[in-house]
Amino acid sequence: MNVLEITGLSKSFSGLRAVNGVGLRVAEHQTVSIIGPNGSGKTTTLNLVTGVLRPDAGTILINGHPLPARHPEQVAASGILRTFQNGRVFGNLSVNENIEIGTHLGLRANRPFKVFAAHPLMAWLPMLAEVLLACFPTPAARRELAEAQERVNEQVNRFPERLGPRQNHLAHTLSYANRRRTEIARSLVAGPELLVLDEPTAGMNQSETAEMLKQLLELKASGQAMLLVEHKLDLVMTLSDWVYVMDGGQVIASGPPARVRTDPAVIDAYLGRKS
Ligand SMILES: Nc1ncnc2c1ncn2[C@@H]1O[C@H](COP(=O)(O)OP(=O)(O)OP(=O)(O)O)[C@@H](O)[C@H]1O
Ligand SMILES: [Mg+2]
C-alpha cells in the first residue's frame, strides 16, 4: 500500500515550469528522498503535496484516496505533516507550546463540532464551543489535555539533551538546529502517516547532522514513512529506500540509492555540477 502516490504533478509560476509532470510514490514504512540542484522543484513538490500550493495538474493520493481538499490543515488532518526548509516555529511560544500545537489535530473532547469548521455559515459554532470549553473544561477535556502534554513530553525526550532543558524557553531564543528539532517534534506528536522533511539538517554542523541521521534512522526503524528533501547526499544514501532525482522541474532518475549514485544523468545534473 502506498501512503503517498502522485502522478503528473505540475505547477508553473508565471511561465516558469517549477514542477513539470512529476510522479512519485512512498510505500508504508519507506523513506523516500528527493535530491536535485537548487531550483529544481523539490520544495515546490513538497508544497503541492502538503496543500501549501495548488497544482495546475496532477493527482495526489493519500492511502489510495484523493486529497479531499488541498487546504494545508486538511492535508495535515489526513496524516501528512511537514517541516519547512527555512524552519517555522512560533518565536513567542515556548518549545512545549510549539510542540503542543501538533496535538491539536487529534483533539476531540476539546474541539467539538469540528465538522462545522469548514461550513461558511456555521464556522462560529466550533470556535464558540472551544472558547467555552477552555473556560469551563469538562473532565474529558481535562483528561485529553493531560494526555496531550504526556505526548509532548515523549517527543521532547527524542531530543533529551537538546530540547529537554529548554522546554520552557521561547522558540526565538533557540539555535537554528533546536528550532528544527522542535519542528520535527511538532510534526511527530500528531502521529503522521507520512512525515515530510524539507532539508532537516540545513544549517547543522557535521556532528549535529550525524545526530539527526541517527534520530531519523530510529524513526525509520519504528516504521515511520518519510518523504525527505536533502542536499547532504551521505545522509540521503544511508537513510533512503528510494531516491528521486529532480532537475528543471522533472524527475530525471529514480531508484535505490546505490543505483542513483552511479547513474550518469544524475552525476551530470547534480553531483557533477556540485564539484
Ligand atoms: N512562490 C514562487 N513564486 C515564483 N517562483 C517560485 C516560487 N516558488 C518557487 N519558485 C521557483 O520555482 C523553481 C523551483 O523552486 P524550488 O523552491 O521548488 O526549488 P528547490 O529544488 O527546493 O531548490 P533549493 O534546493 O534551492 O531549495 C525556482 O526557479 C524558484 O525560483
Ligand atoms: Mg527547496
Side-chain angles (χ1 to χ4, degrees):
M1 172 63 137
N2 291 316
V3 181
L4 176 71
E5 183 167 358
I6 66 181
T7 41
L9 198 63
S10 297
K11 179 75 183 176
S12 295
F13 298 110
S14 33
L16 172 85
R17 294 186 153 203
V19 171
N20 187 5
V22 164
L24 179 155
R25 269 183 302 198
V26 183
E28 271 179 322
H29 312 305
Q30 265 195 341
T31 299
V32 171
S33 296
I34 309 176
I35 62 171
N38 294 120
S40 56
K42 306 180 297 295
T43 295
T44 306
T45 302
L46 299 191
N47 285 342
L48 292 167
V49 167
T50 53
V52 175
L53 291 173
R54 280 171 193 274
D56 300 333
T59 56
I60 303 173
L61 302 180
I62 301 174
N63 287 325
H65 302 289
L67 284 185
R70 287 170 178 145
H71 188 277
E73 197 194 69
Q74 286 156 328
V75 175
S78 67
I80 299 199
L81 275 291
R82 72 171 294 181
T83 66
F84 290 84
Q85 181 165 355
N86 41 11
R88 290 191 193 173
V89 287
F90 296 96
N92 285 323
L93 296 182
S94 68
V95 168
N96 249 339
E97 288 162 341
N98 264 287
I99 300 173
E100 198 191 306
I101 289 167
T103 65
H104 282 237
L105 278 174
L107 295 185
R108 299 260 173 276
N110 281 279
R111 295 190 69 187
F113 310 123
K114 244 182 183 175
V115 288
F116 293 117
H119 192 287
L121 291 177
M122 302 295 277
W124 56 272
L125 188 59
M127 275 191 270
L128 180 64
E130 277 179 49
V131 172
L132 284 174
L133 268 173
C135 299
F136 311 104
T138 60
R142 269 206 210 102
R143 203 165 44 241
E144 191 178 58
L145 285 181
E147 281 162 11
Q149 188 52 51
E150 205 35 55
R151 284 162 54 209
V152 169
N153 290 339
E154 263 171 47
Q155 293 308 322
V156 168
N157 285 334
R158 265 180 208 285
F159 311 99
E161 282 143 39
R162 305 296 193 169
L163 297 185
R166 298 179 177 85
Q167 264 179 286
N168 296 314
H169 292 197
L170 293 183
H172 73 81
T173 67
L174 297 176
S175 69
Y176 196 66
N178 277 333
R179 287 180 203 202
R180 300 198 150 267
R181 295 182 184 108
T182 303
E183 240 194 328
I184 292 175
R186 183 175 64 204
S187 297
L188 284 173
V189 82
E193 298 268 343
L194 179 70
L195 177 65
V196 176
L197 301 167
D198 197 353
E199 299 196 31
T201 73
M204 288 190 181
N205 64 28
Q206 222 177 355
S207 68
E208 287 170 332
T209 301
E211 186 184 316
M212 181 56 73
L213 171 62
K214 189 170 155 271
Q215 275 140 356
L216 294 178
L217 282 168
E218 280 167 15
L219 258 185
K220 180 183 165 136
S222 76
Q224 177 68 57
M226 290 185 271
L227 177 61
L228 173 79
V229 164
E230 199 29 269
H231 280 292
K232 290 179 185 155
L233 291 185
D234 285 345
L235 180 138
V236 168
M237 299 301 172
T238 309
L239 194 62
S240 309
D241 298 296
W242 198 262
V243 179
Y244 290 89
V245 186
M246 289 187 71
D247 195 18
Q250 294 181 313
V251 172
I252 58 159
S254 69
R259 199 167 83 209
V260 162
R261 198 195 266 277
T262 53
D263 187 316
V266 177
I267 294 167
D268 178 49
Y270 187 59
L271 307 173
R273 260 184 241 162
K274 277 205 92 187
S275 56

mmCIF file with all atom_site columns, all heavy atoms in Angstrom, residues 228-252:
data_model
loop_
_atom_site.group_PDB
_atom_site.id
_atom_site.type_symbol
_atom_site.label_atom_id
_atom_site.label_alt_id
_atom_site.label_comp_id
_atom_site.label_asym_id
_atom_site.label_entity_id
_atom_site.label_seq_id
_atom_site.pdbx_PDB_ins_code
_atom_site.Cartn_x
_atom_site.Cartn_y
_atom_site.Cartn_z
_atom_site.occupancy
_atom_site.B_iso_or_equiv
_atom_site.pdbx_formal_charge
_atom_site.auth_seq_id
_atom_site.auth_comp_id
_atom_site.auth_asym_id
_atom_site.auth_atom_id
_atom_site.pdbx_PDB_model_num
ATOM 1   N N   . LEU A 1 228 ? 11.673 12.950 2.131   1.00 0.00 ? 228 LEU A N   1
ATOM 2   C CA  . LEU A 1 228 ? 12.747 13.822 2.570   1.00 0.00 ? 228 LEU A CA  1
ATOM 3   C C   . LEU A 1 228 ? 13.352 14.565 1.385   1.00 0.00 ? 228 LEU A C   1
ATOM 4   O O   . LEU A 1 228 ? 13.604 13.966 0.333   1.00 0.00 ? 228 LEU A O   1
ATOM 5   C CB  . LEU A 1 228 ? 13.808 12.902 3.200   1.00 0.00 ? 228 LEU A CB  1
ATOM 6   C CG  . LEU A 1 228 ? 15.139 13.464 3.616   1.00 0.00 ? 228 LEU A CG  1
ATOM 7   C CD1 . LEU A 1 228 ? 14.991 14.185 4.955   1.00 0.00 ? 228 LEU A CD1 1
ATOM 8   C CD2 . LEU A 1 228 ? 16.159 12.334 3.777   1.00 0.00 ? 228 LEU A CD2 1
ATOM 9   N N   . VAL A 1 229 ? 13.571 15.870 1.565   1.00 0.00 ? 229 VAL A N   1
ATOM 10  C CA  . VAL A 1 229 ? 14.398 16.620 0.611   1.00 0.00 ? 229 VAL A CA  1
ATOM 11  C C   . VAL A 1 229 ? 15.671 16.986 1.347   1.00 0.00 ? 229 VAL A C   1
ATOM 12  O O   . VAL A 1 229 ? 15.611 17.496 2.470   1.00 0.00 ? 229 VAL A O   1
ATOM 13  C CB  . VAL A 1 229 ? 13.666 17.894 0.138   1.00 0.00 ? 229 VAL A CB  1
ATOM 14  C CG1 . VAL A 1 229 ? 14.637 18.865 -0.513  1.00 0.00 ? 229 VAL A CG1 1
ATOM 15  C CG2 . VAL A 1 229 ? 12.546 17.543 -0.826  1.00 0.00 ? 229 VAL A CG2 1
ATOM 16  N N   . GLU A 1 230 ? 16.815 16.703 0.752   1.00 0.00 ? 230 GLU A N   1
ATOM 17  C CA  . GLU A 1 230 ? 18.073 16.942 1.467   1.00 0.00 ? 230 GLU A CA  1
ATOM 18  C C   . GLU A 1 230 ? 19.210 17.084 0.465   1.00 0.00 ? 230 GLU A C   1
ATOM 19  O O   . GLU A 1 230 ? 19.237 16.424 -0.567  1.00 0.00 ? 230 GLU A O   1
ATOM 20  C CB  . GLU A 1 230 ? 18.292 15.752 2.399   1.00 0.00 ? 230 GLU A CB  1
ATOM 21  C CG  . GLU A 1 230 ? 19.239 15.857 3.555   1.00 0.00 ? 230 GLU A CG  1
ATOM 22  C CD  . GLU A 1 230 ? 19.488 17.178 4.213   1.00 0.00 ? 230 GLU A CD  1
ATOM 23  O OE1 . GLU A 1 230 ? 20.431 17.890 3.795   1.00 0.00 ? 230 GLU A OE1 1
ATOM 24  O OE2 . GLU A 1 230 ? 18.792 17.498 5.179   1.00 0.00 ? 230 GLU A OE2 1
ATOM 25  N N   . HIS A 1 231 ? 20.143 17.990 0.789   1.00 0.00 ? 231 HIS A N   1
ATOM 26  C CA  . HIS A 1 231 ? 21.317 18.155 -0.068  1.00 0.00 ? 231 HIS A CA  1
ATOM 27  C C   . HIS A 1 231 ? 22.488 17.285 0.381   1.00 0.00 ? 231 HIS A C   1
ATOM 28  O O   . HIS A 1 231 ? 23.398 17.047 -0.396  1.00 0.00 ? 231 HIS A O   1
ATOM 29  C CB  . HIS A 1 231 ? 21.769 19.621 -0.083  1.00 0.00 ? 231 HIS A CB  1
ATOM 30  C CG  . HIS A 1 231 ? 20.952 20.470 -1.009  1.00 0.00 ? 231 HIS A CG  1
ATOM 31  N ND1 . HIS A 1 231 ? 20.991 20.320 -2.371  1.00 0.00 ? 231 HIS A ND1 1
ATOM 32  C CD2 . HIS A 1 231 ? 20.062 21.464 -0.773  1.00 0.00 ? 231 HIS A CD2 1
ATOM 33  C CE1 . HIS A 1 231 ? 20.166 21.195 -2.940  1.00 0.00 ? 231 HIS A CE1 1
ATOM 34  N NE2 . HIS A 1 231 ? 19.590 21.894 -1.989  1.00 0.00 ? 231 HIS A NE2 1
ATOM 35  N N   . LYS A 1 232 ? 22.453 16.860 1.654   1.00 0.00 ? 232 LYS A N   1
ATOM 36  C CA  . LYS A 1 232 ? 23.597 16.078 2.157   1.00 0.00 ? 232 LYS A CA  1
ATOM 37  C C   . LYS A 1 232 ? 23.455 14.634 1.695   1.00 0.00 ? 232 LYS A C   1
ATOM 38  O O   . LYS A 1 232 ? 22.677 13.849 2.244   1.00 0.00 ? 232 LYS A O   1
ATOM 39  C CB  . LYS A 1 232 ? 23.680 16.186 3.678   1.00 0.00 ? 232 LYS A CB  1
ATOM 40  C CG  . LYS A 1 232 ? 24.094 17.584 4.092   1.00 0.00 ? 232 LYS A CG  1
ATOM 41  C CD  . LYS A 1 232 ? 24.179 17.786 5.571   1.00 0.00 ? 232 LYS A CD  1
ATOM 42  C CE  . LYS A 1 232 ? 24.485 19.248 5.865   1.00 0.00 ? 232 LYS A CE  1
ATOM 43  N NZ  . LYS A 1 232 ? 24.045 19.685 7.186   1.00 0.00 ? 232 LYS A NZ  1
ATOM 44  N N   . LEU A 1 233 ? 24.206 14.313 0.665   1.00 0.00 ? 233 LEU A N   1
ATOM 45  C CA  . LEU A 1 233 ? 23.987 13.044 -0.038  1.00 0.00 ? 233 LEU A CA  1
ATOM 46  C C   . LEU A 1 233 ? 24.323 11.822 0.800   1.00 0.00 ? 233 LEU A C   1
ATOM 47  O O   . LEU A 1 233 ? 23.677 10.793 0.673   1.00 0.00 ? 233 LEU A O   1
ATOM 48  C CB  . LEU A 1 233 ? 24.774 13.030 -1.346  1.00 0.00 ? 233 LEU A CB  1
ATOM 49  C CG  . LEU A 1 233 ? 24.249 14.007 -2.390  1.00 0.00 ? 233 LEU A CG  1
ATOM 50  C CD1 . LEU A 1 233 ? 25.007 13.851 -3.687  1.00 0.00 ? 233 LEU A CD1 1
ATOM 51  C CD2 . LEU A 1 233 ? 22.756 13.826 -2.630  1.00 0.00 ? 233 LEU A CD2 1
ATOM 52  N N   . ASP A 1 234 ? 25.328 11.935 1.672   1.00 0.00 ? 234 ASP A N   1
ATOM 53  C CA  . ASP A 1 234 ? 25.659 10.775 2.512   1.00 0.00 ? 234 ASP A CA  1
ATOM 54  C C   . ASP A 1 234 ? 24.455 10.399 3.362   1.00 0.00 ? 234 ASP A C   1
ATOM 55  O O   . ASP A 1 234 ? 24.109 9.220  3.495   1.00 0.00 ? 234 ASP A O   1
ATOM 56  C CB  . ASP A 1 234 ? 26.846 11.089 3.432   1.00 0.00 ? 234 ASP A CB  1
ATOM 57  C CG  . ASP A 1 234 ? 28.145 11.076 2.656   1.00 0.00 ? 234 ASP A CG  1
ATOM 58  O OD1 . ASP A 1 234 ? 28.126 10.555 1.510   1.00 0.00 ? 234 ASP A OD1 1
ATOM 59  O OD2 . ASP A 1 234 ? 29.148 11.592 3.159   1.00 0.00 ? 234 ASP A OD2 1
ATOM 60  N N   . LEU A 1 235 ? 23.814 11.421 3.925   1.00 0.00 ? 235 LEU A N   1
ATOM 61  C CA  . LEU A 1 235 ? 22.632 11.174 4.752   1.00 0.00 ? 235 LEU A CA  1
ATOM 62  C C   . LEU A 1 235 ? 21.517 10.543 3.910   1.00 0.00 ? 235 LEU A C   1
ATOM 63  O O   . LEU A 1 235 ? 20.903 9.544  4.304   1.00 0.00 ? 235 LEU A O   1
ATOM 64  C CB  . LEU A 1 235 ? 22.159 12.494 5.382   1.00 0.00 ? 235 LEU A CB  1
ATOM 65  C CG  . LEU A 1 235 ? 20.941 12.426 6.283   1.00 0.00 ? 235 LEU A CG  1
ATOM 66  C CD1 . LEU A 1 235 ? 21.129 13.295 7.522   1.00 0.00 ? 235 LEU A CD1 1
ATOM 67  C CD2 . LEU A 1 235 ? 19.675 12.874 5.564   1.00 0.00 ? 235 LEU A CD2 1
ATOM 68  N N   . VAL A 1 236 ? 21.303 11.093 2.719   1.00 0.00 ? 236 VAL A N   1
ATOM 69  C CA  . VAL A 1 236 ? 20.254 10.577 1.828   1.00 0.00 ? 236 VAL A CA  1
ATOM 70  C C   . VAL A 1 236 ? 20.510 9.109  1.487   1.00 0.00 ? 236 VAL A C   1
ATOM 71  O O   . VAL A 1 236 ? 19.613 8.266  1.562   1.00 0.00 ? 236 VAL A O   1
ATOM 72  C CB  . VAL A 1 236 ? 20.188 11.417 0.528   1.00 0.00 ? 236 VAL A CB  1
ATOM 73  C CG1 . VAL A 1 236 ? 19.338 10.744 -0.535  1.00 0.00 ? 236 VAL A CG1 1
ATOM 74  C CG2 . VAL A 1 236 ? 19.659 12.812 0.827   1.00 0.00 ? 236 VAL A CG2 1
ATOM 75  N N   . MET A 1 237 ? 21.759 8.814  1.138   1.00 0.00 ? 237 MET A N   1
ATOM 76  C CA  . MET A 1 237 ? 22.080 7.458  0.700   1.00 0.00 ? 237 MET A CA  1
ATOM 77  C C   . MET A 1 237 ? 21.969 6.460  1.854   1.00 0.00 ? 237 MET A C   1
ATOM 78  O O   . MET A 1 237 ? 21.582 5.313  1.664   1.00 0.00 ? 237 MET A O   1
ATOM 79  C CB  . MET A 1 237 ? 23.494 7.416  0.089   1.00 0.00 ? 237 MET A CB  1
ATOM 80  C CG  . MET A 1 237 ? 23.641 8.310  -1.143  1.00 0.00 ? 237 MET A CG  1
ATOM 81  S SD  . MET A 1 237 ? 22.494 7.863  -2.482  1.00 0.00 ? 237 MET A SD  1
ATOM 82  C CE  . MET A 1 237 ? 22.718 9.195  -3.645  1.00 0.00 ? 237 MET A CE  1
ATOM 83  N N   . THR A 1 238 ? 22.298 6.895  3.060   1.00 0.00 ? 238 THR A N   1
ATOM 84  C CA  . THR A 1 238 ? 22.220 5.987  4.213   1.00 0.00 ? 238 THR A CA  1
ATOM 85  C C   . THR A 1 238 ? 20.772 5.713  4.607   1.00 0.00 ? 238 THR A C   1
ATOM 86  O O   . THR A 1 238 ? 20.425 4.606  5.016   1.00 0.00 ? 238 THR A O   1
ATOM 87  C CB  . THR A 1 238 ? 22.947 6.618  5.438   1.00 0.00 ? 238 THR A CB  1
ATOM 88  O OG1 . THR A 1 238 ? 24.234 7.025  5.009   1.00 0.00 ? 238 THR A OG1 1
ATOM 89  C CG2 . THR A 1 238 ? 23.078 5.643  6.586   1.00 0.00 ? 238 THR A CG2 1
ATOM 90  N N   . LEU A 1 239 ? 19.947 6.735  4.474   1.00 0.00 ? 239 LEU A N   1
ATOM 91  C CA  . LEU A 1 239 ? 18.601 6.665  5.052   1.00 0.00 ? 239 LEU A CA  1
ATOM 92  C C   . LEU A 1 239 ? 17.536 6.138  4.098   1.00 0.00 ? 239 LEU A C   1
ATOM 93  O O   . LEU A 1 239 ? 16.561 5.516  4.525   1.00 0.00 ? 239 LEU A O   1
ATOM 94  C CB  . LEU A 1 239 ? 18.232 8.096  5.487   1.00 0.00 ? 239 LEU A CB  1
ATOM 95  C CG  . LEU A 1 239 ? 17.055 8.337  6.401   1.00 0.00 ? 239 LEU A CG  1
ATOM 96  C CD1 . LEU A 1 239 ? 17.280 7.654  7.745   1.00 0.00 ? 239 LEU A CD1 1
ATOM 97  C CD2 . LEU A 1 239 ? 16.877 9.844  6.614   1.00 0.00 ? 239 LEU A CD2 1
ATOM 98  N N   . SER A 1 240 ? 17.742 6.355  2.781   1.00 0.00 ? 240 SER A N   1
ATOM 99  C CA  . SER A 1 240 ? 16.615 6.186  1.859   1.00 0.00 ? 240 SER A CA  1
ATOM 100 C C   . SER A 1 240 ? 16.451 4.761  1.342   1.00 0.00 ? 240 SER A C   1
ATOM 101 O O   . SER A 1 240 ? 17.429 4.053  1.096   1.00 0.00 ? 240 SER A O   1
ATOM 102 C CB  . SER A 1 240 ? 16.785 7.106  0.648   1.00 0.00 ? 240 SER A CB  1
ATOM 103 O OG  . SER A 1 240 ? 17.040 8.409  1.067   1.00 0.00 ? 240 SER A OG  1
ATOM 104 N N   . ASP A 1 241 ? 15.184 4.372  1.133   1.00 0.00 ? 241 ASP A N   1
ATOM 105 C CA  . ASP A 1 241 ? 14.891 3.130  0.405   1.00 0.00 ? 241 ASP A CA  1
ATOM 106 C C   . ASP A 1 241 ? 14.861 3.406  -1.083  1.00 0.00 ? 241 ASP A C   1
ATOM 107 O O   . ASP A 1 241 ? 15.123 2.533  -1.899  1.00 0.00 ? 241 ASP A O   1
ATOM 108 C CB  . ASP A 1 241 ? 13.521 2.597  0.833   1.00 0.00 ? 241 ASP A CB  1
ATOM 109 C CG  . ASP A 1 241 ? 13.502 2.271  2.306   1.00 0.00 ? 241 ASP A CG  1
ATOM 110 O OD1 . ASP A 1 241 ? 14.248 1.371  2.703   1.00 0.00 ? 241 ASP A OD1 1
ATOM 111 O OD2 . ASP A 1 241 ? 12.749 2.931  3.058   1.00 0.00 ? 241 ASP A OD2 1
ATOM 112 N N   . TRP A 1 242 ? 14.488 4.644  -1.423  1.00 0.00 ? 242 TRP A N   1
ATOM 113 C CA  . TRP A 1 242 ? 14.308 5.000  -2.828  1.00 0.00 ? 242 TRP A CA  1
ATOM 114 C C   . TRP A 1 242 ? 14.635 6.479  -2.972  1.00 0.00 ? 242 TRP A C   1
ATOM 115 O O   . TRP A 1 242 ? 14.311 7.274  -2.090  1.00 0.00 ? 242 TRP A O   1
ATOM 116 C CB  . TRP A 1 242 ? 12.852 4.731  -3.227  1.00 0.00 ? 242 TRP A CB  1
ATOM 117 C CG  . TRP A 1 242 ? 12.611 4.632  -4.696  1.00 0.00 ? 242 TRP A CG  1
ATOM 118 C CD1 . TRP A 1 242 ? 12.148 5.621  -5.502  1.00 0.00 ? 242 TRP A CD1 1
ATOM 119 C CD2 . TRP A 1 242 ? 12.795 3.478  -5.536  1.00 0.00 ? 242 TRP A CD2 1
ATOM 120 N NE1 . TRP A 1 242 ? 12.037 5.161  -6.791  1.00 0.00 ? 242 TRP A NE1 1
ATOM 121 C CE2 . TRP A 1 242 ? 12.420 3.848  -6.844  1.00 0.00 ? 242 TRP A CE2 1
ATOM 122 C CE3 . TRP A 1 242 ? 13.251 2.190  -5.306  1.00 0.00 ? 242 TRP A CE3 1
ATOM 123 C CZ2 . TRP A 1 242 ? 12.486 2.955  -7.920  1.00 0.00 ? 242 TRP A CZ2 1
ATOM 124 C CZ3 . TRP A 1 242 ? 13.300 1.304  -6.369  1.00 0.00 ? 242 TRP A CZ3 1
ATOM 125 C CH2 . TRP A 1 242 ? 12.919 1.699  -7.666  1.00 0.00 ? 242 TRP A CH2 1
ATOM 126 N N   . VAL A 1 243 ? 15.271 6.831  -4.082  1.00 0.00 ? 243 VAL A N   1
ATOM 127 C CA  . VAL A 1 243 ? 15.660 8.229  -4.291  1.00 0.00 ? 243 VAL A CA  1
ATOM 128 C C   . VAL A 1 243 ? 15.139 8.705  -5.648  1.00 0.00 ? 243 VAL A C   1
ATOM 129 O O   . VAL A 1 243 ? 15.290 8.004  -6.658  1.00 0.00 ? 243 VAL A O   1
ATOM 130 C CB  . VAL A 1 243 ? 17.203 8.385  -4.258  1.00 0.00 ? 243 VAL A CB  1
ATOM 131 C CG1 . VAL A 1 243 ? 17.614 9.831  -4.492  1.00 0.00 ? 243 VAL A CG1 1
ATOM 132 C CG2 . VAL A 1 243 ? 17.772 7.891  -2.934  1.00 0.00 ? 243 VAL A CG2 1
ATOM 133 N N   . TYR A 1 244 ? 14.498 9.869  -5.652  1.00 0.00 ? 244 TYR A N   1
ATOM 134 C CA  . TYR A 1 244 ? 14.102 10.527 -6.901  1.00 0.00 ? 244 TYR A CA  1
ATOM 135 C C   . TYR A 1 244 ? 15.055 11.694 -7.134  1.00 0.00 ? 244 TYR A C   1
ATOM 136 O O   . TYR A 1 244 ? 15.373 12.429 -6.194  1.00 0.00 ? 244 TYR A O   1
ATOM 137 C CB  . TYR A 1 244 ? 12.676 11.065 -6.804  1.00 0.00 ? 244 TYR A CB  1
ATOM 138 C CG  . TYR A 1 244 ? 11.626 9.978  -6.775  1.00 0.00 ? 244 TYR A CG  1
ATOM 139 C CD1 . TYR A 1 244 ? 11.214 9.412  -5.575  1.00 0.00 ? 244 TYR A CD1 1
ATOM 140 C CD2 . TYR A 1 244 ? 11.044 9.515  -7.956  1.00 0.00 ? 244 TYR A CD2 1
ATOM 141 C CE1 . TYR A 1 244 ? 10.260 8.409  -5.547  1.00 0.00 ? 244 TYR A CE1 1
ATOM 142 C CE2 . TYR A 1 244 ? 10.081 8.515  -7.934  1.00 0.00 ? 244 TYR A CE2 1
ATOM 143 C CZ  . TYR A 1 244 ? 9.690  7.961  -6.732  1.00 0.00 ? 244 TYR A CZ  1
ATOM 144 O OH  . TYR A 1 244 ? 8.747  6.967  -6.709  1.00 0.00 ? 244 TYR A OH  1
ATOM 145 N N   . VAL A 1 245 ? 15.487 11.845 -8.380  1.00 0.00 ? 245 VAL A N   1
ATOM 146 C CA  . VAL A 1 245 ? 16.377 12.958 -8.701  1.00 0.00 ? 245 VAL A CA  1
ATOM 147 C C   . VAL A 1 245 ? 15.625 13.918 -9.603  1.00 0.00 ? 245 VAL A C   1
ATOM 148 O O   . VAL A 1 245 ? 15.104 13.517 -10.658 1.00 0.00 ? 245 VAL A O   1
ATOM 149 C CB  . VAL A 1 245 ? 17.653 12.469 -9.427  1.00 0.00 ? 245 VAL A CB  1
ATOM 150 C CG1 . VAL A 1 245 ? 18.631 13.629 -9.605  1.00 0.00 ? 245 VAL A CG1 1
ATOM 151 C CG2 . VAL A 1 245 ? 18.300 11.331 -8.664  1.00 0.00 ? 245 VAL A CG2 1
ATOM 152 N N   . MET A 1 246 ? 15.550 15.177 -9.185  1.00 0.00 ? 246 MET A N   1
ATOM 153 C CA  . MET A 1 246 ? 14.858 16.188 -9.995  1.00 0.00 ? 246 MET A CA  1
ATOM 154 C C   . MET A 1 246 ? 15.858 17.135 -10.627 1.00 0.00 ? 246 MET A C   1
ATOM 155 O O   . MET A 1 246 ? 16.902 17.443 -10.063 1.00 0.00 ? 246 MET A O   1
ATOM 156 C CB  . MET A 1 246 ? 13.869 16.994 -9.134  1.00 0.00 ? 246 MET A CB  1
ATOM 157 C CG  . MET A 1 246 ? 12.658 16.197 -8.707  1.00 0.00 ? 246 MET A CG  1
ATOM 158 S SD  . MET A 1 246 ? 11.412 17.224 -7.861  1.00 0.00 ? 246 MET A SD  1
ATOM 159 C CE  . MET A 1 246 ? 10.786 18.199 -9.233  1.00 0.00 ? 246 MET A CE  1
ATOM 160 N N   . ASP A 1 247 ? 15.511 17.599 -11.819 1.00 0.00 ? 247 ASP A N   1
ATOM 161 C CA  . ASP A 1 247 ? 16.273 18.663 -12.474 1.00 0.00 ? 247 ASP A CA  1
ATOM 162 C C   . ASP A 1 247 ? 15.293 19.407 -13.367 1.00 0.00 ? 247 ASP A C   1
ATOM 163 O O   . ASP A 1 247 ? 14.506 18.767 -14.083 1.00 0.00 ? 247 ASP A O   1
ATOM 164 C CB  . ASP A 1 247 ? 17.431 18.067 -13.292 1.00 0.00 ? 247 ASP A CB  1
ATOM 165 C CG  . ASP A 1 247 ? 18.456 19.135 -13.683 1.00 0.00 ? 247 ASP A CG  1
ATOM 166 O OD1 . ASP A 1 247 ? 18.459 20.215 -13.057 1.00 0.00 ? 247 ASP A OD1 1
ATOM 167 O OD2 . ASP A 1 247 ? 19.239 18.898 -14.613 1.00 0.00 ? 247 ASP A OD2 1
ATOM 168 N N   . GLY A 1 248 ? 15.303 20.718 -13.308 1.00 0.00 ? 248 GLY A N   1
ATOM 169 C CA  . GLY A 1 248 ? 14.416 21.519 -14.148 1.00 0.00 ? 248 GLY A CA  1
ATOM 170 C C   . GLY A 1 248 ? 12.944 21.142 -13.997 1.00 0.00 ? 248 GLY A C   1
ATOM 171 O O   . GLY A 1 248 ? 12.204 21.157 -14.981 1.00 0.00 ? 248 GLY A O   1
ATOM 172 N N   . GLY A 1 249 ? 12.511 20.791 -12.791 1.00 0.00 ? 249 GLY A N   1
ATOM 173 C CA  . GLY A 1 249 ? 11.096 20.503 -12.542 1.00 0.00 ? 249 GLY A CA  1
ATOM 174 C C   . GLY A 1 249 ? 10.673 19.085 -12.872 1.00 0.00 ? 249 GLY A C   1
ATOM 175 O O   . GLY A 1 249 ? 9.523  18.720 -12.670 1.00 0.00 ? 249 GLY A O   1
ATOM 176 N N   . GLN A 1 250 ? 11.609 18.277 -13.380 1.00 0.00 ? 250 GLN A N   1
ATOM 177 C CA  . GLN A 1 250 ? 11.241 16.904 -13.760 1.00 0.00 ? 250 GLN A CA  1
ATOM 178 C C   . GLN A 1 250 ? 12.053 15.886 -12.987 1.00 0.00 ? 250 GLN A C   1
ATOM 179 O O   . GLN A 1 250 ? 13.166 16.172 -12.539 1.00 0.00 ? 250 GLN A O   1
ATOM 180 C CB  . GLN A 1 250 ? 11.482 16.708 -15.257 1.00 0.00 ? 250 GLN A CB  1
ATOM 181 C CG  . GLN A 1 250 ? 10.543 17.563 -16.095 1.00 0.00 ? 250 GLN A CG  1
ATOM 182 C CD  . GLN A 1 250 ? 10.756 17.359 -17.577 1.00 0.00 ? 250 GLN A CD  1
ATOM 183 O OE1 . GLN A 1 250 ? 11.889 17.370 -18.048 1.00 0.00 ? 250 GLN A OE1 1
ATOM 184 N NE2 . GLN A 1 250 ? 9.673  17.195 -18.317 1.00 0.00 ? 250 GLN A NE2 1
ATOM 185 N N   . VAL A 1 251 ? 11.473 14.674 -12.885 1.00 0.00 ? 251 VAL A N   1
ATOM 186 C CA  . VAL A 1 251 ? 12.240 13.564 -12.313 1.00 0.00 ? 251 VAL A CA  1
ATOM 187 C C   . VAL A 1 251 ? 13.106 13.005 -13.431 1.00 0.00 ? 251 VAL A C   1
ATOM 188 O O   . VAL A 1 251 ? 12.592 12.530 -14.445 1.00 0.00 ? 251 VAL A O   1
ATOM 189 C CB  . VAL A 1 251 ? 11.307 12.476 -11.755 1.00 0.00 ? 251 VAL A CB  1
ATOM 190 C CG1 . VAL A 1 251 ? 12.113 11.247 -11.339 1.00 0.00 ? 251 VAL A CG1 1
ATOM 191 C CG2 . VAL A 1 251 ? 10.505 13.003 -10.571 1.00 0.00 ? 251 VAL A CG2 1
ATOM 192 N N   . ILE A 1 252 ? 14.431 13.110 -13.257 1.00 0.00 ? 252 ILE A N   1
ATOM 193 C CA  . ILE A 1 252 ? 15.326 12.631 -14.328 1.00 0.00 ? 252 ILE A CA  1
ATOM 194 C C   . ILE A 1 252 ? 15.858 11.230 -14.053 1.00 0.00 ? 252 ILE A C   1
ATOM 195 O O   . ILE A 1 252 ? 16.392 10.579 -14.938 1.00 0.00 ? 252 ILE A O   1
ATOM 196 C CB  . ILE A 1 252 ? 16.506 13.597 -14.583 1.00 0.00 ? 252 ILE A CB  1
ATOM 197 C CG1 . ILE A 1 252 ? 17.322 13.780 -13.294 1.00 0.00 ? 252 ILE A CG1 1
ATOM 198 C CG2 . ILE A 1 252 ? 16.026 14.937 -15.130 1.00 0.00 ? 252 ILE A CG2 1
ATOM 199 C CD1 . ILE A 1 252 ? 18.739 14.265 -13.559 1.00 0.00 ? 252 ILE A CD1 1
#
